[in-house]
Amino acid sequence: MIVLPCRLGAPRPGWSRAADIVVIGSGIAGLTAVLHLRRELPAARVLLVTKAHLDAGSTRWAQGGIAAALAAEDSPADHLADTLVAGVGLCDPDAARVLVDEGPARVRELAELGARFDRADDGSFALTREGGHLRNRIVHAGGDATGLEVERALIAAVRADPAVEVIENALVLDLLRDADGRAAGATLHVLGEGSQDGVGAVTAPAVVLATGGMGQIFASTTNPGVSTGDGVALALRAGAVVADLEFVQFHPTALWLPPAESAQVGAQPGGQQPLVSEAMRGEGAVLVDAAGARVMAGAHPLADLAPRDVVAKQMSRVMAAQGVEHLYLDARGLGAQTIERRFPSITARCRSVGVDPVTMPIPVAPAAHYASGGVRTDLWGRTTVPGLYACGEVACTGVHGANRLASNSLLEGLVFAARIAQDIAGAEHAGRCRDAVPAAPVVGRGSGLTDPAERAELTRAMTDGAGVLRSADSLRATAKVLAGLGDLRVSGATVTAGPPAWEMTNLRTVATALVAAAATRTETRGSHWREDFGDRDDAHWLGRILTRLDPEGELIINVEPMRPAP
């Protein structure tokens, strides 16, 4: 039995700050939450906390765009249908309906805020397709720099509001709770100067987690180095329920580099593999092997535009059969003008490592990209801990099910962040919010830390045993490695409290929960592929796996059947 820490080992807070709402994370979800909170509650003290700089999260790396039914020939119903198909029976239909119904207004709101989306000749949004979409509904900016432009507009709006206090370079540690178990703020470690340096406490009756994903548990990921699962780990330690952790989407087309070059851009712990957007396949690029044979021909009716899990699995099968480390994305048929106009960032990145997409196929391989699971929420972003909210990739609203539909992620952050603001405002007006008074002690039992020197071993084990290909044997071996990493009696290591140890402990916590969920689901569904259970099994597994930590640090797993469709 693996016992996980219920509290991170850390010094007691040396400084404190009070707010009405604290938002943790500065991607599209966190920034949108702040702006809507300021609109709904102009007198509220809103504090935005981010792990590095405001622009260091995953949002800036979103190349493809935002999915929304904005075309005359499209509709929310069509968008909903595509979302449910991609989710392979596990989407929460109510949450998905909220997403597609409210999404168009949120996208138009972004444009009004100043986001410069690409436009057609008549001034309307220029729309394209991505995998799994049967309509052109992907709004993009700068060709393939959508996330960067969205982030620019949101950060400018937040910076322009002097009432929003921002704390950068702050790693969130643990949730503070009051005597009734409600959220009462969070402890942070700030790499700053003066009174805010080191561990401190921010008290607030409402805490919004928008901390992003956990791709850094794998050796190869498109996620930035800050994506170490901090929010999910915090929620587990606080007793919140997490859901669907087994469903990690591997992007089929991360730029593959030889080991020597890869070490310079992201193979080391904390690294990030460059992404080759799915939108390139939406424009007509195709996957081929070294001989030029089409990889997706006959594998799915949508061929290269099949859902990402289908493409990643087929690529993995072909790579294993041929004994190769990568395949190729051939975009040469698009022509130089289209490639350079539509995909300037990808073109520049490829050329920087000696690959010219205009004249050469691009070497690509699957990499961990997006966590469909996370902290379980309802339709208003509320978790199972009162006063604690979650939105964006850290959350599991149920909209993605077993596999996220392309470009629904940015939309989810927009839609549910706005809903959280509405709910907090409603609670404020109803008198349900009150001053936050954390219960003592702030630092409790179960504060064991994991040795950060073993991070590479963790990511290798996760990639080998719980990556695209999984089986009972591989998951059992991975669980054994994770258990050993936490036993300091075996390693003999002395772990010093600090950011490396806290991040490593978070990585081990979320990795352990993910492996437990993946071992429980004995079927293949969406982005969860079991080699030993290769078929979807609706008779036994049409339900969601819920995970939580009990007060002693033991993982508790339950399966919740899906509600019958209305």
Side-chain angles (χ1 to χ4, degrees):
M1 179 183 70
I2 298 179
V3 177
L4 295 169
C6 298
R7 179 74 61 177
L8 289 178
R12 290 184 178 274
W15 55 270
S16 63
R17 184 67 53 84
D20 295 308
I21 307 111
V22 57
V23 177
I24 303 169
S26 61
I28 190 171
L31 294 169
T32 300
V34 167
L35 293 174
H36 277 264
L37 284 164
R38 291 287 300 134
R39 182 183 308 169
E40 298 280 349
L41 295 167
R45 298 165 295 171
V46 180
L47 177 63
L48 174 60
V49 175
T50 189
K51 187 174 181 179
H53 295 295
L54 278 179
D55 63 352
S58 294
T59 294
R60 66 175 300 159
W61 303 104
Q63 296 173 339
I66 306 175
L70 294 161
E73 64 273 14
D74 198 4
S75 69
D78 288 343
H79 188 182
L80 175 63
D82 290 346
T83 298
L84 296 179
V85 168
V88 202
L90 292 191
C91 294
D92 181 326
D94 294 334
R97 193 169 293 109
V98 165
L99 180 82
V100 301
D101 286 347
E102 299 181 11
R106 298 284 83 83
V107 172
R108 293 189 183 98
E109 188 176 78
L110 259 183
E112 293 169 1
L113 193 66
R116 297 185 290 262
F117 292 112
D118 296 337
R119 301 280 180 165
D121 292 340
D122 63 0
S124 62
F125 291 114
L127 303 173
T128 189
R129 285 179 63 198
E130 290 185 357
H133 292 272
L134 299 183
R135 302 280 189 191
N136 284 4
R137 65 169 66 98
I138 311 302
V139 180
H140 48 84
D144 59 355
T146 307
L148 194 62
E149 173 57 19
V150 167
E151 184 181 67
R152 180 204 62 78
L154 290 171
I155 289 177
V158 168
R159 290 288 197 197
D161 187 345
V164 177
E165 182 179 1
V166 177
I167 300 180
E168 296 183 302
N169 299 308
L171 172 63
V172 65
L173 301 180
D174 277 304
L175 187 72
L176 299 174
R177 286 174 289 173
D178 65 15
D180 297 325
R182 287 184 54 89
T187 51
L188 314 168
H189 181 268
V190 180
L191 298 173
E193 297 178 355
S195 63
Q196 287 189 3
D197 190 27
V199 174
V202 174
T203 58
V207 177
V208 181
L209 290 178
T211 52
M214 53 186 181
Q216 290 294 329
I217 61 175
F218 296 99
S220 180
T221 178
T222 64
N223 287 191
V226 295
S227 298
T228 52
D230 306 324
V232 172
L234 173 149
L236 280 168
R237 290 193 296 269
V241 173
V242 302
D244 298 347
L245 287 187
E246 69 272 30
F247 298 117
V248 176
Q249 188 176 78
F250 283 75
H251 199 289
T253 53
L255 177 64
W256 183 88
L257 299 171
E261 295 180 16
S262 183
Q264 299 175 22
V265 299
Q268 74 276 20
Q272 177 182 14
Q273 299 299 116
L275 179 66
V276 181
S277 172
E278 189 168 24
M280 189 168 271
R281 279 179 283 137
E283 295 289 344
V286 295
L287 287 161
V288 298
D289 63 13
R294 292 279 299 272
V295 171
M296 293 304 299
H300 190 276
L302 293 177
D304 292 88
L305 288 178
R308 288 175 176 172
D309 66 297
V310 175
V311 179
K313 291 172 188 176
Q314 178 64 6
M315 290 178 68
S316 297
R317 290 187 183 108
V318 172
M319 289 162 60
Q322 297 185 0
V324 297
E325 294 182 275
H326 66 86
L327 297 169
Y328 296 91
L329 183 67
D330 192 348
R332 292 174 293 180
L334 278 61
Q337 184 177 3
T338 297
I339 291 173
E340 294 177 348
R341 172 188 57 81
R342 182 70 177 83
F343 305 106
S345 301
I346 295 172
T347 301
R349 187 67 190 87
C350 288
R351 285 174 174 167
S352 73
V353 295
V355 177
D356 187 349
V358 173
T359 61
M360 305 163 63
I362 306 167
V364 293
H369 184 58
Y370 188 86
S372 293
V375 186
R376 189 183 192 187
T377 73
D378 64 9
L379 297 182
W380 296 97
R382 295 177 289 215
T383 74
T384 55
V385 174
L388 178 65
Y389 295 78
C391 55
E393 190 173 356
V394 71
C396 183
T397 61
V399 300
H400 303 308
N403 190 37
R404 174 180 67 93
L405 182 65
S407 289
N408 268 357
S409 53
L410 293 181
L411 188 71
E412 182 191 29
L414 287 171
V415 168
F416 287 92
R419 292 192 132 232
I420 286 172
Q422 294 172 34
D423 190 74
I424 291 176
E428 174 82 8
H429 294 316
R432 297 200 306 272
C433 284
R434 58 187 188 277
D435 290 337
V437 181
V442 171
V443 179
R445 61 181 176 177
S447 58
L449 297 174
T450 305
D451 185 3
E454 315 232 287
R455 181 165 170 175
E457 185 175 356
L458 180 148
T459 60
R460 282 196 302 270
M462 288 297 293
T463 295
D464 292 344
V468 177
L469 306 175
R470 300 169 178 174
S471 69
D473 289 342
S474 75
L475 292 166
R476 191 178 302 113
T478 304
K480 184 177 180 180
V481 170
L482 295 175
L485 294 179
D487 191 345
L488 299 182
R489 295 170 299 178
V490 174
S491 67
T494 299
V495 181
T496 301
W502 293 324
E503 282 193 332
M504 178 62 185
T505 305
N506 287 339
L507 288 166
R508 178 173 173 262
T509 295
V510 296
T512 300
L514 186 156
V515 168
T520 300
R521 185 175 290 278
T522 53
E523 66 159 354
T524 288
R525 184 185 296 269
S527 54
H528 172 66
W529 184 17
R530 288 284 297 259
E531 293 180 280
D532 47 351
F533 294 94
D535 297 322
R536 168 178 169 177
D537 183 0
D538 285 354
H540 299 95
W541 289 110
L542 197 59
R544 306 174 69 186
I545 294 178
L546 310 181
T547 308
R548 63 180 178 85
L549 274 184
D550 73 6
E552 301 303 319
E554 182 179 353
L555 279 175
I556 307 298
I557 292 181
N558 294 296
V559 180
E560 179 183 75
M562 296 298 293
R563 291 183 291 107

